[in-house]
C-alpha cells in the first residue's frame, strides 16, 4: 500500500496547554499492524494563563474539516460548535465533569464522549481539606487582621470559625473517587465522617469505616463541615440552596471543590449573613470566569473586603485539581483514553447518553 493510501487520523488539543507535542505524538503513533498517518495539533484556543478563550471558529476551516478527535480541558462545546467539525468521532473532556459538553447534540451525531475520572484525585481532596482548615482554624481571619493597619493584637480571636476538629462531623455530598479521598483525610484528622450518595451500593460505609445516611437532610443537619464532591447533572444542578444550607448546624463551614453549578450563591450569601454559616471555601462558581457585567453580590462583597465577610470566605480559581504532577496525569490519561477509543476501538471512560 502506498503512503498516499494511508488514512489520516487528525486529533486536536483545543486549549493549547503544553510546551511540546512529543507525548501525544508518541502515544498516538501507529503500532505494529496499524496503517494510518497522524496529524496532531494544539489549537491554542485557551492556553494556560490567558483569561479569555477564543471561539472554535478560530481554528482554520481546512483543519476543522479533518478533525476526528478533540481533547478539551476548559472550553465548552455546543451544538453550534459541533457543526464546525463534520468528521468528529470522539471528544475527550480532560477532567471528571462533562456538563460543558452538549451531550444531546453529540449523541445525535454519534460522537463518543469520554472523560478522565482518575486524575487530580489527591490534589482536589487535599484542596478540600486545606479550605476546611484555613477556615476552621481561623487562619484566614488571623491573616487578614495581622496585615491590617494597625495590626490586631497578639491574641486569640473569638469567632464561630474556630472549633476542634476531633469529634466534629465532616459531611460529604457525593462519595466518588475524590469524595472517598477526602473522607480518608478527614478521618485522619479525627473527624467523624458522614456521607450521602444514593448511587453507591450497600457496604461502602463498612469498607471505609465511615457513616452513611440515605436522607440528604440528615447530612445537612449533622455536618459541622460540609464538603461537596458531586458532578453537575440534571439532578444536582442548583440543588443546594438556602433550603438545604439552612439545615446546617449554626457555625458550620461549607466547602465546594466539585462544580459551581450545584450550589446557589444566593443561599450561601444569606446563610453567611445570618450566621448559619461561619465560613465558606469555594474553588468553583456557577459562572467561570466571573462575568464582570454580572458579578454576584457575595463576590462583590468579598472583593471589597467588607467587614462582615472578614476571614469567612475564600475563593480559588477552579484550581483544586492542579499540581505539576496532576497536569502531567491529565495529559497522559487523556491521550491514553483518546487512543483507546478513537484508534484502537476500545471503550475507556465512555460516557453514554443515558448517564447523568
Amino acid at each position: 500500500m502506498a503512503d498516499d493510501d494511508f488514512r489520516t487520523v487528525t486529533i486536536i488539543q483545543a486549549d493549547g496547554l503544553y510546551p511540546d507535542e512529543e507525548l501525544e505524538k508518541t502515544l498516538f503513533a501507529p503500532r505494529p499492524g496499524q496503517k494510518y498517518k497522524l496529524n496532531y495539533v494544539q489549537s491554542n484556543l485557551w492556553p494556560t494563563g490567558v483569561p479569555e478563550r477564543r471561539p472554535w471558529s478560530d481554528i482554520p476551516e481546512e483543519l476543522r474539516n479533518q478533525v476526528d478527535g478533540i481533547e478539551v480541558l476548559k472550553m465548552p462545546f455546543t451544538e453550534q460548535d459541533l457543526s464546525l467539525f463534520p468528521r468528529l468521532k470522539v471528544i475527550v473532556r480532560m477532567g471528571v465533569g462533562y456538563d460543558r459538553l452538549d451531550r444531546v447534540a453529540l449523541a445525535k451525531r454519534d460522537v463518543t464522549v469520554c472523560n478522565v475520572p482518575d486524575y487530580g484525585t489527591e490534589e482536589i481532596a487535599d484542596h478540600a481539606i486545606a479550605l476546611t482548615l484555613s477556615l476552621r482554624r481561623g487562619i484566614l481571619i488571623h491573616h487578614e487582621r495581622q496585615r491590617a493597619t494597625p495590626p490586631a493584637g497578639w491574641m486569640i480571636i473569638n469567632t464561630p470559625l474556630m472549633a476542634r476538629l476531633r469529634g466534629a462531623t465532616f459531611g460529604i455530598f457525593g462519595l466518588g473517587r475524590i469524595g472517598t479521598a477526602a473522607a480518608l483525610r478527614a478521618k485522619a484528622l479525627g473527624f467523624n465522617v458522614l456521607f450521602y450518595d444514593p448511587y453507591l451500593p450497600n457496604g461502602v460505609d463498612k469498607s471505609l469505616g465511615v457513616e452513611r445516611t440515605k436522607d440528604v437532610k440528615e447530612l445537612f443537619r449533622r455536618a459541622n463541615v460540609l464538603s461537596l464532591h458531586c458532578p453537575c447533572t440534571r439532578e444536582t444542578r442548583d440543588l443546594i440552596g438556602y433550603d438545604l444550607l439552612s439545615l446546617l448546624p449554626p457555625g458550620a463551614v461549607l466547602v465546594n471543590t466539585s462544580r459551581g453549578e450545584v450550589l446557589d450563591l444566593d443561599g450561601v450569601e444569606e446563610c453567611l449573613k445570618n450566621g448559619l454559616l461561619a465560613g465558606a471555601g469555594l474553588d468553583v462558581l456557577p459562572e467561570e470566569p466571573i462575568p464582570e457585567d454580572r458579578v454576584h453580590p457575595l463576590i462583590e462583597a468579598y472583593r471589597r473586603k467588607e467587614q462582615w465577610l472578614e476571614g469567612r470566605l475564600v475563593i480559588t480559581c477552579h484550581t483544586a485539581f492542579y499540581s505539576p504532577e496532576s497536569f502531567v496525569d491529565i495529559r497522559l490519561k487523556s491521550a491514553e483514553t483518546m487512543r483507546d477509543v478513537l484508534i484502537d476501538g476500545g471503550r475507556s471512560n465512555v460516557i453514554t447518553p443515558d448517564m447523568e
Side-chain angles (χ1 to χ4, degrees):
M1 179 182 291
D3 285 349
D4 289 345
D5 294 330
F6 280 33
R7 67 185 178 103
T8 297
V9 175
T10 299
I11 300 170
I12 63 171
Q13 199 294 310
D15 307 74
L17 303 173
Y18 305 108
D20 61 71
E21 302 171 353
E22 294 310 308
L23 183 148
E24 288 80 7
K25 288 181 176 178
T26 299
L27 271 172
F28 295 147
R31 293 174 180 170
Q34 295 179 326
K35 296 180 179 180
Y36 61 86
K37 292 186 290 186
L38 173 68
N39 180 25
Y40 175 78
V41 180
Q42 290 201 77
S43 299
N44 297 309
L45 297 181
W46 203 350
T48 302
V50 175
E52 298 293 334
R53 64 182 175 89
R54 293 160 47 209
W56 290 95
S57 56
D58 274 13
I59 299 173
E61 183 178 6
E62 182 180 2
L63 175 58
R64 287 192 270 111
N65 289 338
Q66 300 171 16
V67 170
D68 300 293
I70 296 176
E71 296 180 344
V72 57
L73 178 63
K74 296 177 291 182
M75 297 281 294
F77 197 83
T78 67
E79 184 174 11
Q80 183 177 0
D81 299 324
L82 178 59
S83 68
L84 301 174
F85 297 91
R87 273 184 48 174
L88 183 64
K89 301 177 183 68
V90 177
I91 185 166
V92 174
R93 162 71 172 99
M94 301 173 71
V96 182
Y98 39 84
D99 49 288
R100 294 182 183 178
L101 308 181
D102 188 336
R103 293 169 56 217
V104 174
L106 289 162
K108 286 179 181 177
R109 268 270 307 274
D110 292 323
V111 177
T112 302
V113 177
C114 304
N115 72 340
V116 181
D118 56 342
Y119 88 97
T121 300
E122 298 95 332
E123 283 81 4
I124 299 173
D126 290 345
H127 202 88
I129 297 299
L131 291 173
T132 299
L133 293 177
S134 66
L135 291 161
R136 191 88 286 177
R137 294 302 308 146
I139 293 169
L140 288 174
I141 194 167
H142 277 291
H143 172 71
E144 293 297 335
R145 292 193 181 180
Q146 286 305 312
R147 64 179 186 166
T149 304
W154 202 256
M155 62 183 71
I156 64 170
I157 298 174
N158 187 12
T159 168
L161 285 166
M162 299 286 290
R164 177 175 288 175
L165 307 184
R166 184 166 296 280
T169 296
F170 190 94
I172 297 179
F173 186 86
L175 199 77
R177 296 172 180 84
I178 298 167
T180 298
L184 296 175
R185 285 155 173 76
K187 279 186 65 179
L189 291 171
F191 280 105
N192 297 322
V193 176
L194 173 70
F195 79 91
Y196 171 81
D197 192 325
Y199 296 102
L200 291 184
N202 292 335
V204 172
D205 50 335
K206 300 297 184 184
S207 63
L208 295 174
V210 299
E211 185 181 355
R212 180 177 197 169
T213 177
K214 296 192 176 181
D215 181 355
V216 66
K217 292 183 178 179
E218 182 184 3
L219 176 76
F220 280 78
R221 289 190 185 104
R222 292 176 53 189
N224 306 111
V225 174
L226 179 69
S227 191
L228 306 182
H229 294 284
C230 63
C232 178
T233 66
R234 291 183 289 272
E235 181 181 1
T236 62
R237 185 180 293 272
D238 298 320
L239 175 66
I240 299 173
Y242 182 80
D243 288 348
L244 283 174
L245 294 174
S246 63
L247 300 176
L248 290 165
V253 162
L254 170 70
V255 170
N256 188 10
T257 56
S258 60
R259 305 300 281 186
E261 296 88 344
V262 307
L263 181 64
D264 174 35
L265 290 185
D266 291 342
V268 177
E269 181 183 27
E270 187 171 355
C271 287
L272 283 167
K273 280 186 170 178
N274 65 25
L276 289 176
L277 278 174
L282 308 177
D283 181 60
V284 289
L285 296 171
E287 292 186 272
E288 300 172 357
I290 299 168
E292 292 308 313
D293 60 340
R294 53 182 185 278
V295 181
H296 191 277
L298 178 62
I299 299 172
E300 287 184 332
Y302 171 77
R303 288 176 169 179
R304 289 194 297 260
K305 300 183 180 180
E306 293 184 11
Q307 190 162 1
W308 70 275
L309 267 182
E310 182 186 42
R312 301 178 63 202
L313 177 64
V314 57
I315 296 174
T316 54
C317 305
H318 204 149
T319 51
F321 74 93
Y322 178 74
S323 71
E325 294 84 358
S326 73
F327 223 45
V328 173
D329 284 349
I330 294 172
R331 184 179 189 182
L332 177 63
K333 292 176 182 292
S334 299
E336 288 176 339
T337 298
M338 178 64 76
R339 177 180 181 99
D340 180 69
V341 178
L342 178 64
I343 298 173
D344 297 335
R347 300 288 293 172
S348 291
N349 302 325
V350 169
I351 306 298
T352 59
D354 60 310
M355 292 171 65
E356 277 287 356

